[in-house]
Amino acid sequence: MKCIPALCRKTVTELCALLDGGQITSVEIVQAYLRAIDARDGDVHAYLETYPDDALREAAEADARRALGQKRSPLDGVPIAVKDNLVMRGRVCSCASRMLASFRSPYDATVIEKLHAAGMPILGRLNMDEFAMGGSTENSAFGVTRNPWNPDRVPGGSSGGSAAAVAAGMAPAALGSDTGGSIRQPASFCGVVGVKPAYGAVSRYGLVAFASSLDQIGPLCKTAADAALVLDVICGGDPRDMTSDPALARPCAGREMQDLSGLTVGLPAECFGEGLDAQVRAAVEAAAGTLRGLGAQVRKVSLPSLPYALPAYYVISSAEASSNLARYDGVRYGYRAQAYADLDELYRKSRQEGFGMEVKRRIMLGTFALSSGYQDQYYLKALKARELLRHEAAEALGGCAALLSPVAPTPAYRLGEKTGDPMEMYLGDIYTVPANITGLPAVSVPCGRSAEGLPIGMSLMGARDSLPLLMGIAGAYERTARVNEGMHPYDAVEEEARA
Ligand code: GLN
């Protein structure tokens, strides 16, 4: 029986209380998580690398600060793990690609600086789809990650390692990135909370770019309250990311709501149409009932352009990717082919050998969509659809505090089920891409289980500056619905040590 320490069931909020009460040390927490990773990650494969020495040193420093009454933040001493597209000085940042398999970053991403400044030890880097392109973590050059609830199922993606690590008790919190759903969809597949903040809320400096106008960093945690604590660490303006907006850094933690009276929640009709699994529909509709029970008004709204969101997303994200990934040329850094006759062949072979299939598909798609003669037909048209959707979402949110929808059309599917059919895989992003296209914040919260015991998630999307409110609604919902109560994808735990 593979056991994980009891401490690894605790939420970030509970760990903070134990640390504050002096019942546990940060070193003990980090040791417990390292043991959990040892026990479970052989099966799950959420981590690409762990940093035991640094994490234990950082934990010891956190304990020393606490002893002196010099806590750096509420999360001082609470460990976290990060998706492998966030650069850390001196560490490999591979983006799960052969291209960057041995690339070491000369600098820290802004969010990494912020984790350090908050005193959070970093446990390791987490698996993902190559360059964040995908929805199942099967596109990693370093092997698939499995869903902790069922090893035959995908964990979702592209932040599959982040979601699986939190769900399996191998990290109390993780960072992911979300360009078209990559935080929220794996969160829903693994039964954890995932947040994509508004575009501009978190600095993208040091996040390896996929599609710069869509990419955002956000947390994955067991609860909304935990995610709010992490958001307060990572949000904020940054002169090194000119798209970041200091006005969006409004505190999310400690804004617990009991009562949703006076709030209206909209159900976009277009999100409950064809292609939606019956069990997912039932779970999200039941969640709407719970919100109503908490006092919210629930009413139908319409986003008529929603059907265009997916094609627009794939055109825009691929176009931006084709440009962003032009930098991997085998010359300056990253993979370089062994044998080549001239510069042209060096480029060609390095890219051919360094990139995986899906990345090449996106580069080709994007290059085509931007090519002369087709730019108007595809790229400019997609930009127009984006504008339409922005308007419609703003209109719908004029009368609603949040829009409630499924996160994904189905629960986690089988490994290999969609790898042969990219279109099928892309269709899974239908409900998540609108938040990226519009730049709005959205939260994925567990709201039920399928008959097979697989997690189901719901999405709450709000106005640009509404993240604190969204987190409040999510928290009120989860405290009432208690979807994850007593449920863990691991049944055996070691004796309660000191916790
Ligand atoms: N699944 C989407 C895609 O493949 C989203 C990816 C992401 O958010 N990084 O593009």
Side-chain angles (χ1 to χ4, degrees), residues 83 132-135 157-158 177-182 210 313-314 317 362 429:
K83 186 175 182 177
M133 296 172 191
S158 63
S177 69
D178 191 311
T179 305
S182 279
F210 164 8
Y313 165 79
Y314 273 93
S317 64
R362 306 282 178 117
D429 304 329

Side-chain angles (χ1 to χ4, degrees), residues 199-211:
Y199 185 75
V202 180
S203 168
R204 293 178 294 109
Y205 180 75
L207 165 66
V208 177
F210 164 8

Side-chain angles (χ1 to χ4, degrees), residues 82-169:
V82 300
K83 186 175 182 177
D84 198 24
N85 58 355
L86 294 165
V87 302
M88 272 170 80
R89 192 175 346 132
R91 292 274 181 208
V92 168
C93 176
S94 78
C95 292
S97 179
R98 285 191 68 192
M99 186 57 91
L100 292 175
S102 48
F103 167 73
R104 278 180 197 276
S105 170
Y107 70 102
D108 278 333
T110 297
V111 288
I112 299 292
E113 281 179 359
K114 284 178 180 272
L115 298 181
H116 288 322
M120 301 179 77
I122 299 177
L123 292 168
R125 58 186 172 97
L126 298 161
N127 202 12
M128 55 187 280
D129 284 299
E130 183 176 6
F131 284 101
M133 296 172 191
S136 65
T137 314
E138 293 166 296
N139 295 339
S140 167
F142 307 113
V144 301
T145 296
R146 290 170 188 274
N147 191 312
W149 294 95
N150 180 337
D152 300 329
R153 305 280 170 151
V154 301
S158 63
S159 312
S162 305
V166 174

Side-chain angles (χ1 to χ4, degrees), residues 65-377:
R65 282 193 296 272
R66 250 172 214 279
L68 293 171
Q70 291 167 352
K71 204 166 84 165
R72 278 189 189 163
S73 81
L75 295 180
D76 201 345
V78 177
I80 190 164
V82 300
K83 186 175 182 177
D84 198 24
N85 58 355
L86 294 165
V87 302
M88 272 170 80
R89 192 175 346 132
R91 292 274 181 208
V92 168
C93 176
S94 78
C95 292
S97 179
R98 285 191 68 192
M99 186 57 91
L100 292 175
S102 48
F103 167 73
R104 278 180 197 276
S105 170
Y107 70 102
D108 278 333
T110 297
V111 288
I112 299 292
E113 281 179 359
K114 284 178 180 272
L115 298 181
H116 288 322
M120 301 179 77
I122 299 177
L123 292 168
R125 58 186 172 97
L126 298 161
N127 202 12
M128 55 187 280
D129 284 299
E130 183 176 6
F131 284 101
M133 296 172 191
S136 65
T137 314
E138 293 166 296
N139 295 339
S140 167
F142 307 113
V144 301
T145 296
R146 290 170 188 274
N147 191 312
W149 294 95
N150 180 337
D152 300 329
R153 305 280 170 151
V154 301
S158 63
S159 312
S162 305
V166 174
M170 298 191 290
L175 293 185
S177 69
D178 191 311
T179 305
S182 279
I183 290 174
R184 293 161 288 152
Q185 182 256 25
S188 96
F189 280 12
C190 290
V192 301
V193 170
V195 185
K196 184 201 86 80
Y199 185 75
V202 180
S203 168
R204 293 178 294 109
Y205 180 75
L207 165 66
V208 177
F210 164 8
S212 309
S213 79
L214 304 160
D215 299 339
Q216 262 297 283
I217 299 166
L220 296 97
C221 294
K222 291 193 186 81
T223 66
D226 285 5
L229 285 165
V230 177
L231 284 166
D232 287 352
V233 170
I234 61 172
C235 285
D238 178 7
R240 295 170 297 188
D241 172 4
M242 293 314 282
T243 63
S244 71
D245 181 355
L248 290 172
R250 298 172 49 216
C252 288
R255 298 173 115 251
E256 247 97 279
M257 299 170 74
Q258 313 296 338
D259 178 8
L260 304 182
S261 308
L263 294 181
T264 304
V265 173
L267 295 177
E270 294 79 5
C271 293
F272 293 86
E274 221 183 298
L276 177 60
D277 175 273
Q279 299 189 64
V280 176
R281 177 196 303 274
V284 178
E285 284 174 356
T290 304
L291 295 173
R292 210 179 269 121
L294 282 163
Q297 293 230 0
V298 178
R299 67 173 165 89
K300 286 232 159 74
V301 297
S302 177
L303 299 173
S305 300
L306 198 103
Y308 304 123
L310 197 67
Y313 165 79
Y314 273 93
V315 169
I316 295 169
S317 64
S318 303
E320 293 184 20
S322 74
S323 156
N324 274 326
L325 273 62
R327 71 190 64 171
Y328 305 105
D329 55 8
V331 176
R332 281 160 296 185
Y333 56 87
Y335 179 83
R336 178 183 296 182
Q338 292 287 313
Y340 45 88
D342 53 21
L343 187 63
D344 224 46
E345 199 181 15
L346 162 70
Y347 293 154
R348 223 172 329 109
K349 282 179 91 176
S350 299
R351 288 169 70 81
Q352 212 163 59
E353 294 163 16
F355 289 137
M357 274 286 287
E358 183 60 26
V359 174
K360 286 179 191 162
R361 180 157 32 232
R362 306 282 178 117
I363 293 173
M364 287 194 283
L365 208 70
T367 309
F368 175 73
L370 288 175
S371 60
S372 81
Y374 293 100
Q375 194 171 2
D376 292 6
Q377 236 171 313

